[in-house]
Amino acid sequence: MNAKNKILLAEDDYAISRVYAGGLTHSGFEVIIAINGVDALEKIRINRPDLVLLDLMMPIKNGFEVLEEIRKDDALKDIPVIILSNLGQESDIARSKELGITDYLVKSDTSMKHLIEKVKSHFNQ
Amino acid sequence: MNINPRLKITLSAITAFLTPLGALFILQTFFSDIYIRNHILHSSVMAITGLLSFYIFWRAYKTYNANKGDSTPLFLLSLSFLTMGAVFIFHAIAISDIYIFSETIFDIFEHYGLFFGALILLGVLFPYNQNITRAIYASRKIFLFSLVIFLAIFSILVVFSTPVAEFLSTHINLAIGLTGISFFVNALFLLLSHDYNRKSDRLSFYLIIGFLILTSSGIVPFFYKEWNAVWWFSHIIFIAGFIFTLVELFKQKRTEVSFGEVFSNTPLGAKIILNYSVTIILGIFILSYLNYYSAEKNLKNQLFHDLALTSAVEKENVLGFLDYTKSRAVDFSSDGFIRDSAKQIINEKNTAEIAENLNAHLVKNKMSLDKGIIGINVLDLNGKIIASTNIEEMGKDESKDDYFMQGKNSSYGDAYVSDVVIKQSHFNAIKSFFTASTVLTDRETREPIGIIVNYYDATTLNEIVSGRYGSIIEPLDIADKNIENTMEIFIANADGLMITESKFVKNAILRQRINTEAYWKCKENKNIRGIYNDYRGVKVVSASECLPNGWLLVTKIDVAEAFILLKDIQKEAAIFSIVLLSLIVLISSLLAKAIIFPIRKLDEAAKKIGLGDLSARAEVISKDEIGSLAQTFNGMVVQLKQLYEGLERKVKDRTMELAQKVNEVEHEKDKLSTILYGIGDGVLVVNGDGKIIIWNDVAEKISGFSTKEVIGKKYNQVLSFINEKTGKPSNDFIQQTITGGEIIQMPDYTMLIRKNGSQIAVVDSSAPLKNKNGEIVGCVMIFRDATKERDIDRMKTEFVSIASHQLRSPLTAIKLSAEILADADTGKLNAEQKNYLSNIQQSAQNMTSLVNDLLNISRLEAGKIQINPKPVNLKELIDKVLDNLSVISVAHNCKISVNAGIDLMPEIITDPDLMRQVIYNLISNAIQYSSPDGNRVDIEINRAEDNDHLIISIKDAGIGIPEEARKRMFEKFFRAENAIKTKVDGTGLGLYIVKMIIENLGGNVWFDSMVDTGTTFYVKIPTKSPPPPAIKKI
């Protein structure tokens, strides 16, 4: 492993973002936290993360909007995105999948360990 | 001018019948004594008639042929006229002056010819059917030939067979009468069956006239005497009749001839009249004829008898007279003075004085004795007159005379009577005379010395035969004084010369020769009684007597006079016949009317009924068959009426019922339309062609299209549905309903494009309309404005999302934090701390489950389960679920086996997410409610027997479900007692969700359980998810 894989975590809930960030950092990933959609886009453009963990319900700009903009932006469109949301409805999942995502995880059903495994498997670790 | 054809024809017919008869009577009265004896005229007339007749034959036969024999009556007409033509031509050459045959034969030809003709015509009345008509046409030439042969044989028989001729002649009146009747019947039939409205029946009309004229030919012959005006009149009648017959035939050419089936056309009444008339007339005629015939025969016999008697008496008179003349001669010869004087004159020389005395003696004493004696001569044996009552006779030599010779040879006491002679040499007589001579003998020696001759005036014979001579027997007065007019008794001598004066010819004596049958018979010494032509050529009834001296005595009367009585009888019979005929026709028409009247009444009633007047009744009161028929008929009508009325009532009832039903239907319809139009939803009905037939107000309101605009249009020309989310047209469901015949709910998110282009959210369904045979004839669709619903739904969804998010986020934070703490990444925890942290983790997990379940239920109950069928590998799906459940399975120390024939297990088509949830809930239950000892869960997947379903069984060795709880296991928030007692925190929603999902996926779920032993849950799901995407069955 030459450099730490950069993960952008877009999560408006402070408590959750801190727990996730803690777990992921502990597992050896570089984690950048964005607290809303606009912040997330901005930080994605600046930091070019290797993976985006995207919450859907966020202030200012929600996750769908963020995802749409990423996919529209030629520079960003290849960045893999894993949705990490409490929205578990099929419609949401379907909509997300249409926009191109790597995985969809429902927060309440996903333990820390599970998340880390998912991220690791994404990076083939 | 339009004259009623019936009147016209009837009047013409009556005229045709009566005119000749009227003319006959006039002729009979004033002109019957006018005789026109002109053979040339007669022959010409007969020739013309014959030629006309032949022409009619030819014309009729030609027309018959031209029409392929469709009218047999026409053929008979031709045959009839052929017969009559032949007869008339034959008759035309019968010129009396050159009689080839006897006149009797010609009479036979004439009258029998007509009779045959009329008889053939009677065949017209026969009802010919098609077969007979055809057969006759086929053998027409045979018929024609046969007729000619018959006529030939008839002629030969008549000419050469006297008995036949005599027989026919005797009955000639029968032939005449039957001729008249035949023509009359024919005419009457034609008249009564005449179709007055057909122009082509003109032939029939002319034939009626012709035949009625010819009818007279059966009457007139009874009235005429040959050559008189009436006789000529009958010839005119023939021509007139024939001309009338010919007139229309002439016009017929090759066109139709319509006097066809006469009898079948004849009305019933006419048939009855004719039957009566013909039968009675024929009967009466034949009876009359027989009567007449016997009268004639009697009369003839009487006449013959009388004539014979007269002849016999006259013969006796004549013979007596001749005997008397003989006796006178003998008497004179015995006179002594004469004998002595004669002896002296013969023997002595000077005898002048003696002769004078003798002469005087003869005149004074002898001639005066007999007024018939015109002179007496005494002759010597040399034939020299030696004494005479007339001095000029003296000295004549009579030796060559017959009476001298015969007288000289006569024996004593006998005398010779000579024939009648006319000799001027005696007594200056120009009169005819005859002599009675006898021998004179010597008184002593009895030797003949001479003869004495008495000369008698021949007219004395006349006086004797006419009874004027004061003779012994008076002549018989025969019957009638009229008869005496032509009655004649005459005597002819052996040479056939009359020796008495003729009543008809002057100076007939020894001049008028008779050359009759009587004379010839007398030559054979036979007497005759018969009818023959006398010396005048007139037909006479006669009786003759041959006298011993060769003389012939004939008594005769002209036939015309002798049978004048018969003529009278004939006339009377003819007149009587006409009166009788009229009477019969009258009576039979009354009778026919009496018979026909009820039938006509019946007919009228039947016609009325036929026209629908069931109140009509046959008014027949007679009790005969017709009466009974009428009664039956009336009964039938009553029944018919009842039946009809019953029927009518039934029809009325049915109509009322129908009307009621229609009303009901109308009412229903009203009700229906009230419902339809009053319903709060939009209703539209399309027929099988997809054309809109019903469009209610709400539909109008929702869509913006008015009823007028849409009715009759195809639904897809008006309605345009799109999917709210995709914007794609979504009109298919109506067509699917029509073709598929199933009730289909509108897809979610369906928007209707309104008339103004705006979109409106609509929901509801379409259902097929089926007729009673189950055929789809259209579709009814109900839709309503779903804008508010959709708004509420959207809000609810948003609320649920937000709520779940808001609830989950803190829970997630708690769970994650607790997890990190538990993992001791942040420092070791003591046992007590760990215990509390575990409580936190457990509660957070329960909370999460609860939130998840509530979220699911809210969605399921809202009917918002969206099924997205995909190929799903159940084994993989179960493995994934087990992977997710690995935490609790490890926690419960539970061994899980999955037994599935993977190779046999195809991918099934179902919704993977829903399926996962089901499997998840069931396996997690199985794990959690396992008993702590034997923790084991066995999962099996099997194909159902029907091959279309899979059965998943999940077997645990857990606490089991108590019996009392089993029924309620799938209820919301229900938990069994023993479950509650366990440490497992459940929401009581898991099985409820399972059942809901499984049923939505077209499967079902059930279980077997035993408390403390374990429970097995079975899920049966179709291998192919039946609901089409986004459309769900109600």
Side-chain angles (χ1 to χ4, degrees), chain A residues 13 16 19-20 57 86 88-90 107-109 111-113, chain B residues 801 805 808-809 812-813 815-817 819-820 848 852 859 913:
Chain A
D13 190 302
I16 291 174
V19 174
Y20 281 150
M57 302 288 281
N86 267 327
Q89 294 183 62
E90 300 299 331
K107 280 187 267 184
S108 59
D109 295 339
S111 63
M112 195 63 224
K113 206 183 269 178
Chain B
S801 297
H805 182 258
R808 272 171 174 173
S809 288
T812 306
K815 272 168 75 186
L816 287 174
S817 301
E819 192 187 342
I820 288 168
T848 307
N852 282 346
R859 275 186 286 171
D913 291 327

PDB file of all heavy atoms in Angstrom, chain A residues 13 16 19-20 57 86 88-90 107-109 111-113, chain B residues 801 805 808-809 812-813 815-817 819-820 848 852 859 913:
ATOM      1  N   ASP A  13     -24.751  14.270  10.040  1.00  0.00           N
ATOM      2  CA  ASP A  13     -24.866  13.970  11.473  1.00  0.00           C
ATOM      3  C   ASP A  13     -23.439  13.908  12.077  1.00  0.00           C
ATOM      4  O   ASP A  13     -22.656  13.026  11.725  1.00  0.00           O
ATOM      5  CB  ASP A  13     -25.616  12.649  11.652  1.00  0.00           C
ATOM      6  CG  ASP A  13     -25.994  12.395  13.116  1.00  0.00           C
ATOM      7  OD1 ASP A  13     -25.091  12.362  13.976  1.00  0.00           O
ATOM      8  OD2 ASP A  13     -27.222  12.203  13.353  1.00  0.00           O
ATOM      9  N   ILE A  16     -22.433  10.594  13.896  1.00  0.00           N
ATOM     10  CA  ILE A  16     -22.194   9.471  12.971  1.00  0.00           C
ATOM     11  C   ILE A  16     -20.896   9.678  12.197  1.00  0.00           C
ATOM     12  O   ILE A  16     -20.081   8.761  12.070  1.00  0.00           O
ATOM     13  CB  ILE A  16     -23.395   9.276  12.007  1.00  0.00           C
ATOM     14  CG1 ILE A  16     -24.602   8.766  12.803  1.00  0.00           C
ATOM     15  CG2 ILE A  16     -23.042   8.296  10.895  1.00  0.00           C
ATOM     16  CD1 ILE A  16     -25.876   8.663  12.011  1.00  0.00           C
ATOM     17  N   VAL A  19     -18.019   8.816  14.270  1.00  0.00           N
ATOM     18  CA  VAL A  19     -17.851   7.378  14.499  1.00  0.00           C
ATOM     19  C   VAL A  19     -17.268   6.708  13.255  1.00  0.00           C
ATOM     20  O   VAL A  19     -16.278   5.985  13.315  1.00  0.00           O
ATOM     21  CB  VAL A  19     -19.187   6.715  14.855  1.00  0.00           C
ATOM     22  CG1 VAL A  19     -19.049   5.186  14.961  1.00  0.00           C
ATOM     23  CG2 VAL A  19     -19.732   7.269  16.153  1.00  0.00           C
ATOM     24  N   TYR A  20     -17.871   7.042  12.126  1.00  0.00           N
ATOM     25  CA  TYR A  20     -17.387   6.447  10.861  1.00  0.00           C
ATOM     26  C   TYR A  20     -15.939   6.836  10.590  1.00  0.00           C
ATOM     27  O   TYR A  20     -15.098   5.998  10.255  1.00  0.00           O
ATOM     28  CB  TYR A  20     -18.274   6.889   9.672  1.00  0.00           C
ATOM     29  CG  TYR A  20     -19.584   6.114   9.567  1.00  0.00           C
ATOM     30  CD1 TYR A  20     -20.708   6.719   9.041  1.00  0.00           C
ATOM     31  CD2 TYR A  20     -19.641   4.762   9.973  1.00  0.00           C
ATOM     32  CE1 TYR A  20     -21.905   6.028   8.927  1.00  0.00           C
ATOM     33  CE2 TYR A  20     -20.843   4.075   9.872  1.00  0.00           C
ATOM     34  CZ  TYR A  20     -21.979   4.685   9.340  1.00  0.00           C
ATOM     35  OH  TYR A  20     -23.127   4.027   9.239  1.00  0.00           O
ATOM     36  N   MET A  57     -29.647  12.192   2.813  1.00  0.00           N
ATOM     37  CA  MET A  57     -30.383  13.277   3.451  1.00  0.00           C
ATOM     38  C   MET A  57     -29.406  14.268   4.070  1.00  0.00           C
ATOM     39  O   MET A  57     -28.905  14.072   5.187  1.00  0.00           O
ATOM     40  CB  MET A  57     -31.285  12.676   4.555  1.00  0.00           C
ATOM     41  CG  MET A  57     -32.277  11.636   4.081  1.00  0.00           C
ATOM     42  SD  MET A  57     -33.612  12.372   3.137  1.00  0.00           S
ATOM     43  CE  MET A  57     -34.605  13.017   4.459  1.00  0.00           C
ATOM     44  N   ASN A  86     -29.786   6.388   5.693  1.00  0.00           N
ATOM     45  CA  ASN A  86     -30.869   5.713   6.415  1.00  0.00           C
ATOM     46  C   ASN A  86     -32.124   5.535   5.554  1.00  0.00           C
ATOM     47  O   ASN A  86     -33.121   4.977   5.986  1.00  0.00           O
ATOM     48  CB  ASN A  86     -31.205   6.467   7.686  1.00  0.00           C
ATOM     49  CG  ASN A  86     -30.430   5.913   8.890  1.00  0.00           C
ATOM     50  OD1 ASN A  86     -30.168   4.697   8.924  1.00  0.00           O
ATOM     51  ND2 ASN A  86     -30.046   6.757   9.802  1.00  0.00           N
ATOM     52  N   GLY A  88     -34.000   3.591   3.225  1.00  0.00           N
ATOM     53  CA  GLY A  88     -33.852   2.196   2.748  1.00  0.00           C
ATOM     54  C   GLY A  88     -34.899   1.830   1.696  1.00  0.00           C
ATOM     55  O   GLY A  88     -35.047   0.677   1.297  1.00  0.00           O
ATOM     56  N   GLN A  89     -35.658   2.819   1.255  1.00  0.00           N
ATOM     57  CA  GLN A  89     -36.750   2.481   0.310  1.00  0.00           C
ATOM     58  C   GLN A  89     -36.206   2.145  -1.063  1.00  0.00           C
ATOM     59  O   GLN A  89     -35.218   2.708  -1.518  1.00  0.00           O
ATOM     60  CB  GLN A  89     -37.729   3.643   0.215  1.00  0.00           C
ATOM     61  CG  GLN A  89     -38.474   3.882   1.534  1.00  0.00           C
ATOM     62  CD  GLN A  89     -39.496   4.976   1.411  1.00  0.00           C
ATOM     63  OE1 GLN A  89     -40.407   4.839   0.641  1.00  0.00           O
ATOM     64  NE2 GLN A  89     -39.321   6.037   2.173  1.00  0.00           N
ATOM     65  N   GLU A  90     -36.922   1.237  -1.670  1.00  0.00           N
ATOM     66  CA  GLU A  90     -36.502   0.740  -2.991  1.00  0.00           C
ATOM     67  C   GLU A  90     -36.342   1.871  -3.981  1.00  0.00           C
ATOM     68  O   GLU A  90     -35.445   1.864  -4.798  1.00  0.00           O
ATOM     69  CB  GLU A  90     -37.521  -0.279  -3.529  1.00  0.00           C
ATOM     70  CG  GLU A  90     -37.709  -1.502  -2.665  1.00  0.00           C
ATOM     71  CD  GLU A  90     -36.417  -2.291  -2.525  1.00  0.00           C
ATOM     72  OE1 GLU A  90     -35.576  -2.244  -3.452  1.00  0.00           O
ATOM     73  OE2 GLU A  90     -36.247  -2.961  -1.490  1.00  0.00           O
ATOM     74  N   LYS A 107     -27.650   2.655   6.828  1.00  0.00           N
ATOM     75  CA  LYS A 107     -26.828   2.905   8.023  1.00  0.00           C
ATOM     76  C   LYS A 107     -27.256   2.039   9.216  1.00  0.00           C
ATOM     77  O   LYS A 107     -26.441   1.429   9.899  1.00  0.00           O
ATOM     78  CB  LYS A 107     -26.885   4.383   8.414  1.00  0.00           C
ATOM     79  CG  LYS A 107     -25.960   5.249   7.567  1.00  0.00           C
ATOM     80  CD  LYS A 107     -25.895   6.688   8.081  1.00  0.00           C
ATOM     81  CE  LYS A 107     -26.892   7.558   7.396  1.00  0.00           C
ATOM     82  NZ  LYS A 107     -26.818   8.961   7.778  1.00  0.00           N
ATOM     83  N   SER A 108     -28.606   1.998   9.409  1.00  0.00           N
ATOM     84  CA  SER A 108     -29.084   1.312  10.614  1.00  0.00           C
ATOM     85  C   SER A 108     -28.786  -0.191  10.573  1.00  0.00           C
ATOM     86  O   SER A 108     -28.723  -0.849  11.593  1.00  0.00           O
ATOM     87  CB  SER A 108     -30.562   1.543  10.811  1.00  0.00           C
ATOM     88  OG  SER A 108     -31.260   1.066   9.679  1.00  0.00           O
ATOM     89  N   ASP A 109     -28.649  -0.710   9.350  1.00  0.00           N
ATOM     90  CA  ASP A 109     -28.381  -2.147   9.233  1.00  0.00           C
ATOM     91  C   ASP A 109     -26.878  -2.442   9.122  1.00  0.00           C
ATOM     92  O   ASP A 109     -26.493  -3.604   8.964  1.00  0.00           O
ATOM     93  CB  ASP A 109     -29.079  -2.714   7.985  1.00  0.00           C
ATOM     94  CG  ASP A 109     -30.576  -2.630   8.115  1.00  0.00           C
ATOM     95  OD1 ASP A 109     -31.066  -2.536   9.265  1.00  0.00           O
ATOM     96  OD2 ASP A 109     -31.291  -2.641   7.066  1.00  0.00           O
ATOM     97  N   SER A 111     -23.186  -2.331  10.500  1.00  0.00           N
ATOM     98  CA  SER A 111     -22.285  -2.098  11.656  1.00  0.00           C
ATOM     99  C   SER A 111     -20.964  -1.510  11.143  1.00  0.00           C
ATOM    100  O   SER A 111     -20.715  -1.519   9.936  1.00  0.00           O
ATOM    101  CB  SER A 111     -22.025  -3.428  12.385  1.00  0.00           C
ATOM    102  OG  SER A 111     -21.350  -4.312  11.493  1.00  0.00           O
ATOM    103  N   MET A 112     -20.234  -1.016  12.042  1.00  0.00           N
ATOM    104  CA  MET A 112     -18.925  -0.412  11.681  1.00  0.00           C
ATOM    105  C   MET A 112     -18.076  -1.432  10.955  1.00  0.00           C
ATOM    106  O   MET A 112     -17.445  -1.154   9.947  1.00  0.00           O
ATOM    107  CB  MET A 112     -18.246   0.061  12.992  1.00  0.00           C
ATOM    108  CG  MET A 112     -17.077   1.013  12.766  1.00  0.00           C
ATOM    109  SD  MET A 112     -17.625   2.551  11.990  1.00  0.00           S
ATOM    110  CE  MET A 112     -16.322   2.698  10.778  1.00  0.00           C
ATOM    111  N   LYS A 113     -18.027  -2.620  11.587  1.00  0.00           N
ATOM    112  CA  LYS A 113     -17.206  -3.689  11.041  1.00  0.00           C
ATOM    113  C   LYS A 113     -17.612  -3.987   9.581  1.00  0.00           C
ATOM    114  O   LYS A 113     -16.794  -4.118   8.697  1.00  0.00           O
ATOM    115  CB  LYS A 113     -17.452  -4.944  11.895  1.00  0.00           C
ATOM    116  CG  LYS A 113     -16.292  -5.933  11.897  1.00  0.00           C
ATOM    117  CD  LYS A 113     -16.696  -7.161  12.730  1.00  0.00           C
ATOM    118  CE  LYS A 113     -16.273  -6.960  14.186  1.00  0.00           C
ATOM    119  NZ  LYS A 113     -16.693  -8.093  15.032  1.00  0.00           N
TER     120      LYS A 113
ATOM    121  N   SER B 801     -40.002   8.847   5.177  1.00  0.00           N
ATOM    122  CA  SER B 801     -38.578   8.933   4.887  1.00  0.00           C
ATOM    123  C   SER B 801     -37.860   9.788   5.941  1.00  0.00           C
ATOM    124  O   SER B 801     -36.854   9.374   6.513  1.00  0.00           O
ATOM    125  CB  SER B 801     -38.364   9.557   3.508  1.00  0.00           C
ATOM    126  OG  SER B 801     -38.919   8.727   2.546  1.00  0.00           O
ATOM    127  N   HIS B 805     -35.453   8.521   8.741  1.00  0.00           N
ATOM    128  CA  HIS B 805     -34.101   9.080   8.720  1.00  0.00           C
ATOM    129  C   HIS B 805     -33.752   9.704  10.062  1.00  0.00           C
ATOM    130  O   HIS B 805     -32.695   9.447  10.639  1.00  0.00           O
ATOM    131  CB  HIS B 805     -33.998  10.110   7.612  1.00  0.00           C
ATOM    132  CG  HIS B 805     -32.632  10.692   7.485  1.00  0.00           C
ATOM    133  ND1 HIS B 805     -32.324  11.950   7.978  1.00  0.00           N
ATOM    134  CD2 HIS B 805     -31.468  10.192   6.987  1.00  0.00           C
ATOM    135  CE1 HIS B 805     -31.034  12.188   7.769  1.00  0.00           C
ATOM    136  NE2 HIS B 805     -30.492  11.119   7.143  1.00  0.00           N
ATOM    137  N   ARG B 808     -33.421   6.966  12.568  1.00  0.00           N
ATOM    138  CA  ARG B 808     -32.304   6.052  12.355  1.00  0.00           C
ATOM    139  C   ARG B 808     -30.940   6.712  12.640  1.00  0.00           C
ATOM    140  O   ARG B 808     -30.013   6.055  13.126  1.00  0.00           O
ATOM    141  CB  ARG B 808     -32.324   5.552  10.921  1.00  0.00           C
ATOM    142  CG  ARG B 808     -33.180   4.322  10.758  1.00  0.00           C
ATOM    143  CD  ARG B 808     -33.306   4.046   9.282  1.00  0.00           C
ATOM    144  NE  ARG B 808     -34.014   2.787   9.066  1.00  0.00           N
ATOM    145  CZ  ARG B 808     -34.358   2.398   7.854  1.00  0.00           C
ATOM    146  NH1 ARG B 808     -34.054   3.141   6.803  1.00  0.00           N
ATOM    147  NH2 ARG B 808     -35.017   1.266   7.699  1.00  0.00           N
ATOM    148  N   SER B 809     -30.895   7.974  12.262  1.00  0.00           N
ATOM    149  CA  SER B 809     -29.584   8.640  12.406  1.00  0.00           C
ATOM    150  C   SER B 809     -29.039   8.576  13.835  1.00  0.00           C
ATOM    151  O   SER B 809     -27.928   8.075  14.049  1.00  0.00           O
ATOM    152  CB  SER B 809     -29.698  10.084  11.943  1.00  0.00           C
ATOM    153  OG  SER B 809     -29.820  10.096  10.563  1.00  0.00           O
ATOM    154  N   THR B 812     -28.228   5.048  14.699  1.00  0.00           N
ATOM    155  CA  THR B 812     -27.007   4.615  14.043  1.00  0.00           C
ATOM    156  C   THR B 812     -25.783   5.109  14.830  1.00  0.00           C
ATOM    157  O   THR B 812     -24.840   4.346  15.089  1.00  0.00           O
ATOM    158  CB  THR B 812     -26.955   5.143  12.606  1.00  0.00           C
ATOM    159  OG1 THR B 812     -28.141   4.759  11.942  1.00  0.00           O
ATOM    160  CG2 THR B 812     -25.728   4.636  11.869  1.00  0.00           C
ATOM    161  N   ALA B 813     -25.894   6.335  15.205  1.00  0.00           N
ATOM    162  CA  ALA B 813     -24.795   6.917  15.982  1.00  0.00           C
ATOM    163  C   ALA B 813     -24.578   6.138  17.266  1.00  0.00           C
ATOM    164  O   ALA B 813     -23.458   5.788  17.627  1.00  0.00           O
ATOM    165  CB  ALA B 813     -25.119   8.381  16.279  1.00  0.00           C
ATOM    166  N   LYS B 815     -25.533   3.039  17.916  1.00  0.00           N
ATOM    167  CA  LYS B 815     -25.058   1.689  17.625  1.00  0.00           C
ATOM    168  C   LYS B 815     -23.552   1.676  17.290  1.00  0.00           C
ATOM    169  O   LYS B 815     -22.797   0.865  17.825  1.00  0.00           O
ATOM    170  CB  LYS B 815     -25.833   1.098  16.445  1.00  0.00           C
ATOM    171  CG  LYS B 815     -27.095   0.382  16.872  1.00  0.00           C
ATOM    172  CD  LYS B 815     -27.965   0.090  15.640  1.00  0.00           C
ATOM    173  CE  LYS B 815     -27.386  -1.059  14.851  1.00  0.00           C
ATOM    174  NZ  LYS B 815     -28.159  -1.227  13.606  1.00  0.00           N
ATOM    175  N   LEU B 816     -23.186   2.633  16.437  1.00  0.00           N
ATOM    176  CA  LEU B 816     -21.789   2.662  15.996  1.00  0.00           C
ATOM    177  C   LEU B 816     -20.855   2.987  17.172  1.00  0.00           C
ATOM    178  O   LEU B 816     -19.827   2.337  17.375  1.00  0.00           O
ATOM    179  CB  LEU B 816     -21.626   3.690  14.874  1.00  0.00           C
ATOM    180  CG  LEU B 816     -22.217   3.297  13.519  1.00  0.00           C
ATOM    181  CD1 LEU B 816     -22.125   4.450  12.537  1.00  0.00           C
ATOM    182  CD2 LEU B 816     -21.521   2.068  12.958  1.00  0.00           C
ATOM    183  N   SER B 817     -21.340   3.931  17.942  1.00  0.00           N
ATOM    184  CA  SER B 817     -20.520   4.334  19.107  1.00  0.00           C
ATOM    185  C   SER B 817     -20.367   3.162  20.063  1.00  0.00           C
ATOM    186  O   SER B 817     -19.262   2.849  20.547  1.00  0.00           O
ATOM    187  CB  SER B 817     -21.188   5.507  19.831  1.00  0.00           C
ATOM    188  OG  SER B 817     -21.331   6.570  18.938  1.00  0.00           O
ATOM    189  N   GLU B 819     -20.599   0.090  19.404  1.00  0.00           N
ATOM    190  CA  GLU B 819     -19.784  -0.947  18.771  1.00  0.00           C
ATOM    191  C   GLU B 819     -18.292  -0.647  18.958  1.00  0.00           C
ATOM    192  O   GLU B 819     -17.500  -1.545  19.333  1.00  0.00           O
ATOM    193  CB  GLU B 819     -20.128  -1.024  17.271  1.00  0.00           C
ATOM    194  CG  GLU B 819     -19.567  -2.243  16.602  1.00  0.00           C
ATOM    195  CD  GLU B 819     -19.763  -2.226  15.085  1.00  0.00           C
ATOM    196  OE1 GLU B 819     -20.618  -1.449  14.585  1.00  0.00           O
ATOM    197  OE2 GLU B 819     -19.066  -2.981  14.392  1.00  0.00           O
ATOM    198  N   ILE B 820     -17.982   0.621  18.755  1.00  0.00           N
ATOM    199  CA  ILE B 820     -16.566   1.013  18.893  1.00  0.00           C
ATOM    200  C   ILE B 820     -16.119   0.800  20.342  1.00  0.00           C
ATOM    201  O   ILE B 820     -15.065   0.245  20.616  1.00  0.00           O
ATOM    202  CB  ILE B 820     -16.372   2.461  18.434  1.00  0.00           C
ATOM    203  CG1 ILE B 820     -16.499   2.496  16.900  1.00  0.00           C
ATOM    204  CG2 ILE B 820     -15.011   3.030  18.901  1.00  0.00           C
ATOM    205  CD1 ILE B 820     -16.613   3.884  16.309  1.00  0.00           C
ATOM    206  N   THR B 848     -33.919  -0.226  16.082  1.00  0.00           N
ATOM    207  CA  THR B 848     -33.703  -0.213  14.634  1.00  0.00           C
ATOM    208  C   THR B 848     -34.700  -1.166  13.948  1.00  0.00           C
ATOM    209  O   THR B 848     -35.353  -0.797  12.963  1.00  0.00           O
ATOM    210  CB  THR B 848     -32.263  -0.653  14.304  1.00  0.00           C
ATOM    211  OG1 THR B 848     -31.370   0.167  15.055  1.00  0.00           O
ATOM    212  CG2 THR B 848     -31.970  -0.515  12.830  1.00  0.00           C
ATOM    213  N   ASN B 852     -37.536  -0.226  11.349  1.00  0.00           N
ATOM    214  CA  ASN B 852     -37.577  -0.868  10.029  1.00  0.00           C
ATOM    215  C   ASN B 852     -38.934  -1.531   9.760  1.00  0.00           C
ATOM    216  O   ASN B 852     -39.534  -1.362   8.692  1.00  0.00           O
ATOM    217  CB  ASN B 852     -36.481  -1.919   9.928  1.00  0.00           C
ATOM    218  CG  ASN B 852     -35.116  -1.301   9.677  1.00  0.00           C
ATOM    219  OD1 ASN B 852     -35.035  -0.110   9.324  1.00  0.00           O
ATOM    220  ND2 ASN B 852     -34.062  -2.062   9.887  1.00  0.00           N
ATOM    221  N   ARG B 859     -45.524   1.048   4.571  1.00  0.00           N
ATOM    222  CA  ARG B 859     -45.503   0.956   3.103  1.00  0.00           C
ATOM    223  C   ARG B 859     -46.437  -0.153   2.591  1.00  0.00           C
ATOM    224  O   ARG B 859     -47.189   0.037   1.647  1.00  0.00           O
ATOM    225  CB  ARG B 859     -44.083   0.712   2.616  1.00  0.00           C
ATOM    226  CG  ARG B 859     -43.298   2.012   2.458  1.00  0.00           C
ATOM    227  CD  ARG B 859     -41.975   1.753   1.839  1.00  0.00           C
ATOM    228  NE  ARG B 859     -41.072   1.117   2.804  1.00  0.00           N
ATOM    229  CZ  ARG B 859     -39.894   0.621   2.467  1.00  0.00           C
ATOM    230  NH1 ARG B 859     -39.499   0.649   1.226  1.00  0.00           N
ATOM    231  NH2 ARG B 859     -39.113   0.075   3.372  1.00  0.00           N
ATOM    232  N   ASP B 913     -35.935  -8.108  -3.304  1.00  0.00           N
ATOM    233  CA  ASP B 913     -35.898  -7.371  -2.035  1.00  0.00           C
ATOM    234  C   ASP B 913     -36.963  -7.878  -1.088  1.00  0.00           C
ATOM    235  O   ASP B 913     -36.728  -8.108   0.101  1.00  0.00           O
ATOM    236  CB  ASP B 913     -36.073  -5.879  -2.268  1.00  0.00           C
ATOM    237  CG  ASP B 913     -34.845  -5.300  -2.969  1.00  0.00           C
ATOM    238  OD1 ASP B 913     -33.740  -5.807  -2.701  1.00  0.00           O
ATOM    239  OD2 ASP B 913     -35.023  -4.402  -3.813  1.00  0.00           O
TER     240      ASP B 913
END
